[in-house]
């Protein structure tokens, strides 16, 4: 609401008239002018197309970026709104950008980041009206009754119901696939809620429930429940914290793993000093793993370091993640054979998103994982008679690739539908672990 009032009161009309216009009706400046007219008439989708056309044509003025950010905000495309307002941080209009970034953070449910942006607005050399508006937002955030004004995370949830087809149904992470295809149904639910004020932060409870079912191959069904109790503390432009974690997974109806662990993290909502990144973060997690009956080989320790980064490239938006995983498991011995289930993994995941329209987003995702197992496998030769088979040592090293396409259609602020298709290829030094698969999945997603 305040964004709209502000743009109409001081930017849209005042700065639109100062744009440099050319005689050619197809110039970026004319596209910007058309976007202003579309906005005035209430046609936000056409305004978006016109502003994006002006930007694609080479116009990068502050009025264009600001008005485009407002249109994204009004159309509930908060990721693009955030990236567009961030482009104004290094200009003389930084106070206006920080205020609007605070509003975007509120819409995304990130009250910690919102508070940080409003405080930057209040502490900067910004107009009195803007400071008053930022102060009002901070007062609203302070109505939780906490002594330091920290706002507890309100109850929220995200649900995904999906179905699809898997051409090569996978079993456990360290075994070969089923070499059978089939349909599946999938359900994922996540949620979080602030529990109490602890010092300068909050105690928050996060939870995850996941299940995938294969009607034709029920022995490959998987399920998971996980919960984290985290202490989260705001800092200059993000959050830091840590806590305890618990998870339990099932393979078919049998308990596979139970994990008890600790996690620490730090996130920044402004990483401009690192290659112009908009958001970045680092986390470290450790866990003691107890294998279920029949899965005792998986007992041991698990460690994971994770780095994340996000950045806008024009209208494209990319997200990257690198992780290093270390396992120290008991491994599996069967007679003369030995199987290592203790990989050391490096994994890189990337995704690119492109706004096709105000409600439709398309993109690409891909990943690479290198896994080297701690000790060599000892395996019986498979091409010799049983009575003559010799034990051969082989070091397991896997190289896994994935690439895929996806599309998301937003139905409302709460609901969206998504379709995705992916291809995976695992190349292992031990032939029995080689596989290729493709999957297709359609989902209905909702936030509450």
């Amino acid at each position: 609401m305040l964004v709209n009032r502000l743009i109409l009161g001081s930017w849209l009309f005042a700065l639109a008239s100062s744009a440099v216009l050319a005689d050619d009706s197809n110039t970026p400046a004319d596209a910007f002018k058309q976007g202003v007219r579309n906005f005035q008439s209430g046609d936000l989708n056409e305004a978006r197309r016109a502003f994006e056309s002006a930007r694609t044509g080479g116009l990068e003025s502050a009025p264009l970026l600001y008005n485009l950010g407002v249109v994204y905000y009004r159309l509930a495309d908060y990721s693009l709104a955030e990236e567009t307002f961030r482009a104004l941080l290094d200009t003389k209009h930084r106070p206006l950008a920080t205020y609007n970034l605070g509003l975007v953070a509120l819409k995304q449910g990130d009250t910690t980041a919102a508070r940080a942006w409003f405080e930057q607005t209040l502490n900067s050399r910004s107009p009195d009206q803007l400071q008053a508006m930022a102060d009002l937002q901070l007062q609203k955030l302070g109505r939780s009754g906490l002594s330091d004004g920290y706002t507890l995370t309100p109850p929220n949830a995200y649900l995904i119901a999906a179905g699809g087809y898997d051409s090569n149904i996978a079993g456990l992470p360290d075994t070969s696939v089923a070499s059978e295809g089939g349909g599946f149904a999938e359900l994922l639910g996540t949620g979080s809620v602030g529990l109490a004020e602890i010092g300068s932060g909050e105690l928050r409870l996060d939870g995850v429930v996941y299940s995938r079912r294969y009607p034709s191959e029920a022995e490959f069904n998987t399920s998971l429940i996980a919960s984290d109790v985290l202490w989260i503390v705001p800092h200059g432009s993000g959050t830091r914290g840590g806590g305890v974690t618990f998870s339990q997974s099932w393979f078919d109806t049998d308990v596979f793993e139970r994990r008890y662990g600790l996690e620490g993290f730090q996130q920044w909502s402004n990483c401009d000093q690192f290659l112009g990144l908009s958001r970045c973060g680092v986390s470290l997690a450790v866990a003691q793993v107890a294998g279920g009956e029949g899965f005792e080989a998986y007992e041991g320790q698990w460690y994971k370091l994770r780095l994340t980064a996000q950045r806008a490239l024009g209208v494209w938006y990319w997200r990257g993640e690198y992780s290093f995983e270390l396992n120290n498991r008991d491994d599996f011995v069967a007679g003369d054979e030995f199987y290592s289930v203790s990989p050391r993994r490096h994994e890189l995941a990337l995704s690119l998103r492109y706004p096709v329209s105000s409600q439709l987003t398309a993109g690409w995702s891909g990943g690479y994982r290198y896994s080297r197992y701690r000790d060599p496998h000892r395996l019986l030769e498979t091409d010799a008679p049983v009575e003559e088979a010799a034990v051969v040592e082989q070091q397991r090293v896997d190289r896994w690739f994935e690439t895929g396409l996806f599309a998301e259609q937003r139905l409302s602020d709460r609901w969206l539908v998504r379709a995705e298709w992916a291809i995976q290829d695992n190349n292992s030094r031990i032939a029995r672990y080689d596989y290729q698969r493709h999957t297709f999945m359609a989902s209905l997603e909702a936030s509450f």
Side-chain angles (χ1 to χ4, degrees):
M1 296 290 291
L2 295 177
V3 166
N4 303 334
R5 189 178 308 136
L6 189 59
I7 188 173
L8 293 175
S10 61
W11 269 65
L12 183 60
F13 298 141
L15 294 179
S17 61
S18 66
V20 178
L21 302 179
D23 294 334
D24 184 358
S25 61
N26 295 321
T27 65
D30 280 329
F32 172 64
K33 185 177 180 181
Q34 181 60 47
V36 172
R37 288 194 293 266
N38 292 333
F39 187 93
Q40 291 173 341
S41 66
D43 193 340
L44 297 180
N45 289 317
E46 287 300 321
R48 172 178 179 160
R49 277 189 279 270
F51 288 145
E52 288 177 345
S53 175
R55 191 176 187 185
T56 302
L59 186 62
E60 283 285 334
S61 66
L64 171 63
L65 293 174
Y66 182 82
N67 291 319
L68 183 57
V70 170
V71 169
Y72 287 146
Y73 179 91
R74 289 279 301 275
L75 291 172
D77 199 334
Y78 301 121
S79 295
L80 283 177
E82 177 184 348
E83 291 304 320
T84 307
F85 287 132
R86 282 180 180 276
L88 294 170
L89 289 175
D90 294 328
T91 72
K92 65 180 181 180
H93 307 293
R94 179 183 178 88
L96 192 61
T98 58
Y99 176 78
N100 284 282
L101 284 166
L103 294 179
V104 172
L106 284 180
K107 286 293 187 180
Q108 294 174 315
D110 192 344
T111 55
T112 301
R115 174 175 291 279
W117 288 120
F118 291 139
E119 286 177 346
Q120 287 189 43
T121 306
L122 196 61
N123 297 330
S124 64
R125 296 179 180 178
S126 55
D128 292 342
Q129 180 188 9
L130 199 57
Q131 292 198 39
M133 294 163 70
D135 184 58
L136 179 60
Q137 293 293 341
L138 288 170
Q139 290 179 38
K140 291 180 180 179
L141 288 173
R143 289 174 184 170
S144 63
L146 301 179
S147 58
D148 63 352
Y150 188 92
T151 303
L152 292 178
T153 300
N156 63 88
Y158 199 85
L159 299 177
I160 302 175
Y165 176 80
D166 187 338
S167 70
N168 208 347
I169 300 171
L172 297 175
D174 300 283
T175 63
S176 58
V177 293
S179 298
E180 296 287 344
F184 65 85
E186 187 173 280
L187 182 66
L188 172 67
T190 68
S192 62
V193 61
L195 300 176
E197 175 192 12
I198 302 291
S200 58
E202 71 166 327
L203 192 67
R204 192 180 78 189
L205 174 65
D206 293 346
V208 176
V209 178
Y210 171 79
S211 180
R212 176 176 280 200
R213 293 289 182 264
Y214 295 96
S216 63
E217 302 284 344
E219 66 271 23
F220 290 98
N221 292 343
T222 55
S223 302
L224 169 76
I225 59 170
S227 64
D228 305 334
V229 179
L230 303 173
W231 180 42
I232 301 175
V233 182
H235 60 82
S237 61
T239 57
R240 65 172 62 96
V244 296
T245 64
F246 167 80
S247 68
Q248 179 166 311
S249 56
W250 289 264
F251 189 55
D252 195 7
T253 58
D254 300 319
V255 175
F256 172 43
E257 286 185 348
R258 185 177 291 118
R259 298 189 183 192
Y260 310 88
L262 300 172
E263 179 180 1
F265 65 89
Q266 180 148 337
Q267 299 174 341
W268 294 267
S269 57
N270 188 350
C271 302
D272 289 343
Q273 66 272 29
F274 299 116
L275 303 176
L277 299 176
S278 56
R279 293 192 178 202
C280 56
V282 58
S283 66
L284 177 64
V286 299
Q288 179 66 37
V289 183
E293 184 177 355
F295 300 107
E296 291 84 0
Y298 291 88
E299 292 188 1
Q301 295 78 43
W302 170 87
Y303 310 87
K304 189 168 188 177
L305 171 68
R306 182 167 166 262
L307 306 174
T308 60
Q310 301 177 47
R311 185 182 180 184
L313 297 170
V315 296
W316 289 86
Y317 188 77
W318 75 263
R319 185 181 189 278
E321 177 179 321
Y322 165 78
S323 63
F324 172 69
E325 179 183 321
L326 183 64
N327 289 270
N328 180 25
R329 308 298 186 95
D330 286 351
D331 300 323
F332 182 72
V333 178
D336 293 331
E337 293 191 302
F338 170 84
Y339 299 81
S340 174
V341 294
S342 302
R344 176 178 296 178
R345 289 190 168 117
H346 299 270
E347 184 168 356
L348 180 66
L350 296 171
S351 65
L352 282 171
R353 303 172 64 88
Y354 177 79
V356 179
S357 69
S358 60
Q359 303 298 323
L360 177 63
T361 299
W364 168 88
S365 62
Y368 170 76
R369 182 174 65 225
Y370 174 86
S371 303
R372 182 181 180 87
Y373 288 73
R374 184 179 59 188
D375 300 306
H377 283 46
R378 295 194 302 271
L379 305 172
L380 290 174
E381 291 181 320
T382 58
D383 56 354
V386 175
E387 63 276 7
E388 300 177 9
V391 175
V392 178
E393 282 197 355
Q394 292 180 281
Q395 182 74 51
R396 182 178 177 184
V397 177
D398 289 9
R399 292 175 173 83
W400 173 90
F401 301 86
E402 180 181 52
T403 186
L405 302 172
F406 65 87
E408 296 175 350
Q409 176 71 37
R410 182 163 293 279
L411 305 178
S412 67
D413 289 351
R414 175 172 294 179
W415 296 91
L416 69 82
V417 291
R418 176 184 170 98
E420 58 183 284
W421 170 77
I423 295 177
Q424 297 178 1
D425 182 277
N426 192 67
N427 189 326
S428 177
R429 284 187 184 176
I430 301 178
R432 69 174 64 184
Y433 299 112
D434 286 343
Y435 68 84
Q436 291 182 334
R437 66 196 297 210
H438 68 266
T439 58
F440 172 78
M441 184 169 69
S443 60
L444 177 64
E445 307 181 17
S447 57
F448 301 92

